[in-house]
Amino acid sequence: MQPSVLPRPARPLEAPRARQQRRLAAWRRCVLIGLVVLYLGMLVLAPLAALLVSALQQGLPAIVAALSEWQALRAFGLTLLIALIAVVVHGVCGTALAWVLVRQRFAGQRLINALIDLPFAISPVVTGYTLLLLFGRRGLFAPLLERFDLQVAFALPGMILATLFVTLPFMARELMPLLATIGVEEEQAAHTLGASGWQTFRWVTLPALRYGLIYGLLLTFARAVGEFGAVLVVGGGVQGRTETATVYIYRALEDRQYAGAYGAALVLGLLSLLLVIAAERLPRLRRW
């Protein structure tokens, strides 16, 4: 005798109250996503769109002619020079700073860790003014600079110092969590096998930090390229000498040279967009 097959129980109907709650949750989710998109659109997309439209209204030939002048070329060259110097300095010193704060324990460590975020709290204009108080003609170090015939304020060294200050946190804040995550087991194993401190860092620590290092360098470069307030105050914005790309945009707007101003702003905007896209692709490269 074949066993009888019991019929499957009918699936209970979803209660009206449960359906209502699901619809309410979906509606709230859509509203939240819409608010986030609107927020980013007003703060990011709308200014970029306005910049693109304003640049196109000037005409491509006018923009190319304005950006081909020696003042614009020198401003962009000076900006790239300062940004590359900031990348090199923070690539070395920022990595060392992150390693010391994570791997070492010493008096005043918490204070140094807190001071790293100081550039986020201080206005760049205040930074430039502080550098003038230190290295200006009547600054604290003015007698020493005069003795060695050195000029920091209203010259390239002061602009480099200002850029280094405002870009200080990016490398350290990017590398410190990575150093804390990877731990010290692999480094200790390398020491056990006879590797020196430099060999351990070169072949064990640095490969583990490579993507964080690249991301920090991209952020440092982007911040250095877009710096305005600090370099304007400490550099003076002297045309042809201490005028960076951002200062050039400011001066061109004051002089009603809109083609040069919109063109330079568009170039900086596209450069920043490329850096953001490159930084966004880094997590995908980690999978390979």
Side-chain angles (χ1 to χ4, degrees), residues 70-86:
W70 70 272
Q71 297 93 337
L73 294 177
R74 182 175 177 82
F76 274 99
L78 184 60
T79 298
L80 293 178
L81 175 62
I82 296 175
L84 290 176
I85 292 175

Side-chain angles (χ1 to χ4, degrees), residues 23-189:
R23 292 175 182 175
L24 183 60
W27 181 81
R28 291 176 178 175
R29 179 173 177 270
C30 293
V31 171
L32 180 61
I33 294 176
L35 290 176
V36 170
V37 173
L38 180 62
Y39 172 73
L40 291 178
M42 293 179 60
L43 295 181
V44 180
L45 298 180
L48 289 178
L51 175 61
L52 181 60
V53 172
S54 300
L56 294 178
Q57 287 179 351
Q58 303 300 318
L60 185 59
I63 292 177
V64 173
L67 296 182
S68 300
E69 298 180 355
W70 70 272
Q71 297 93 337
L73 294 177
R74 182 175 177 82
F76 274 99
L78 184 60
T79 298
L80 293 178
L81 175 62
I82 296 175
L84 290 176
I85 292 175
V87 166
V88 172
V89 172
H90 287 312
V92 177
C93 299
T95 303
L97 175 62
W99 188 87
V100 168
L101 290 178
V102 175
R103 293 288 189 262
Q104 306 297 323
R105 295 293 180 267
F106 53 92
Q109 182 177 6
R110 293 185 178 180
L111 177 61
I112 295 178
N113 189 23
L115 290 178
I116 294 177
D117 295 328
L118 191 61
F120 289 145
I122 296 182
S123 170
V125 176
V126 177
T127 300
Y129 180 69
T130 303
L131 291 175
L132 287 181
L133 294 178
L134 293 176
F135 303 104
R137 294 180 180 178
R138 299 181 181 180
L140 181 62
F141 299 115
L144 183 62
L145 295 176
E146 292 178 359
R147 177 175 298 181
F148 292 97
D149 194 20
L150 298 176
Q151 184 177 0
V152 176
F154 306 110
L156 180 60
M159 301 170 68
I160 294 175
L161 288 177
T163 306
L164 289 176
F165 179 81
V166 299
T167 56
L168 171 64
F170 295 101
M171 284 299 301
R173 289 305 178 216
E174 182 63 28
L175 295 181
M176 288 176 64
L178 291 178
L179 284 169
T181 301
I182 63 178
V184 297
E185 290 79 8
E186 295 182 357
E187 296 178 358
Q188 292 175 350

